[in-house]
Amino acid sequence: MEPDRHDDTDQLRVSDREREEVVELLGKATAEGRLTLDEYSERAGTAHAAQTRGELARVTRDLPDAATRPAAGALVPATEKLLAVFGNEVRKGAWPAPERIEARAVFGDCRIELHEARLPGRVTRIDAEAIFGNVTIVVAEGTDVRLTGSAIFGSKQSKLSGPVAAGAPVIEVRCRAIFGDVTVRAPRKRWW
C-alpha cells in the first residue's frame, strides 16, 4: 500500500529573486492604496526574512487581486528567452507571460502566442531577432501593437486589421530582421 502523498510546495525554500518579486508586488499594492506604509514596511520585512514559499505566500494572501497574481511557488520571471537555432520554439496556451520576452530565431522559427496568455500588466515588451529565420507573434484582434525596429533583406509587419480596443493590452515589439521575418498577426480562424 502506497502512503498518502501531500504537497510540500509550501515547504520549498525561496530564492532572493522570489523575495524581491513579492516585495515589488507589495510596493504596487501600496501605490494603489491597498496597504499603508506601515503595513508595507512590516510585510516587506517579513518577505525578506521568509525561508519557505508558504511563508512568502502569506505576505500577499489577503490582497484583493492576489488570486490573479501568480502563487509564490509559480512566480513569473521578469524576462523569458526563446531561442530557435535550426529548429522551432513555441510558447502557446494559457501560459503566464512575463513582462519581457526575448525571442531569437537563427535558421529557425519562434512563435509566441499571446491571445490566450495571462499578461502581467498593461504593457508587454518583446525583443524579436530573426536572422535567416522567422519570429511570429499571435495576439487577439484589438490589441495595441507597437512594432519598431529594422528589416534588412527581410520584413517586419503587422497583419492586424481591426481597430485597437479601449483599454487593450499594449505589446511593444522591437525587432531586427536580417534575411528573416518578424510578423504580428491574429489567431487563425478554424473552419470546422
Side-chain angles (χ1 to χ4, degrees), residues 10 12-23 26 43-44 46-61 71-73 75:
D10 282 356
L12 293 175
R13 296 185 67 85
V14 294
S15 68
D16 288 338
R17 182 183 58 82
E18 289 173 301
R19 289 183 194 98
E20 289 304 319
E21 287 176 354
V22 168
V23 170
L26 293 171
R43 290 179 189 216
T46 302
H48 281 295
Q51 297 291 317
T52 65
R53 288 185 172 169
E55 293 170 2
L56 199 55
R58 283 189 285 279
V59 176
T60 58
R61 188 169 285 151
L75 292 173

Side-chain angles (χ1 to χ4, degrees), residues 17-18 30 32 38 52 62-63 89 101 117 131 138-139 142-143 150 169 192:
R17 182 183 58 82
E18 289 173 301
T30 304
E32 294 168 351
D38 288 338
T52 65
D62 67 338
L63 296 175
E89 183 76 29
I101 300 169
I131 301 173
V138 181
V139 300
T143 302
S150 61
W192 66 92

Side-chain angles (χ1 to χ4, degrees), residues 2-191:
E2 190 174 301
D4 290 337
R5 294 184 183 223
H6 61 281
D7 186 8
D8 287 333
T9 303
D10 282 356
Q11 299 304 314
L12 293 175
R13 296 185 67 85
V14 294
S15 68
D16 288 338
R17 182 183 58 82
E18 289 173 301
R19 289 183 194 98
E20 289 304 319
E21 287 176 354
V22 168
V23 170
E24 186 177 320
L25 291 175
L26 293 171
K28 288 178 183 177
T30 304
E32 294 168 351
R34 298 184 192 281
L35 297 174
T36 66
L37 290 176
D38 288 338
E39 289 172 318
Y40 168 79
S41 296
E42 181 181 329
R43 290 179 189 216
T46 302
H48 281 295
Q51 297 291 317
T52 65
R53 288 185 172 169
E55 293 170 2
L56 199 55
R58 283 189 285 279
V59 176
T60 58
R61 188 169 285 151
D62 67 338
L63 296 175
D65 56 346
T68 61
R69 292 180 177 159
L75 292 173
V76 178
T79 303
E80 182 167 335
K81 296 181 181 186
L82 304 173
L83 175 64
V85 179
F86 289 102
N88 299 321
E89 183 76 29
V90 178
R91 267 317 236 140
K92 65 180 182 177
W95 61 291
E99 293 177 1
R100 184 167 177 241
I101 300 169
E102 295 177 6
R104 187 170 192 201
V106 181
F107 290 101
D109 295 303
C110 276
R111 189 170 74 239
I112 306 164
E113 295 188 5
L114 295 173
H115 60 286
E116 295 177 348
R118 294 185 309 276
L119 300 177
R122 180 145 159 68
V123 179
T124 301
R125 179 178 158 192
I126 300 174
D127 293 319
E129 184 176 49
I131 301 173
F132 290 98
N134 303 300
V135 176
T136 304
I137 302 155
V138 181
V139 300
E141 280 288 354
T143 302
D144 185 358
V145 175
R146 300 172 186 175
L147 181 62
T148 61
S150 61
I152 301 169
F153 294 108
S155 71
K156 67 177 176 89
Q157 62 181 324
S158 173
K159 293 184 175 182
L160 299 176
S161 58
V164 173
V170 176
I171 308 295
E172 292 180 354
V173 181
R174 298 175 185 178
C175 69
R176 185 173 84 139
I178 302 172
F179 290 99
D181 300 311
V182 175
T183 305
V184 180
R185 66 170 177 80
R188 292 201 166 97
K189 294 180 180 171
R190 297 182 181 178
W191 57 272

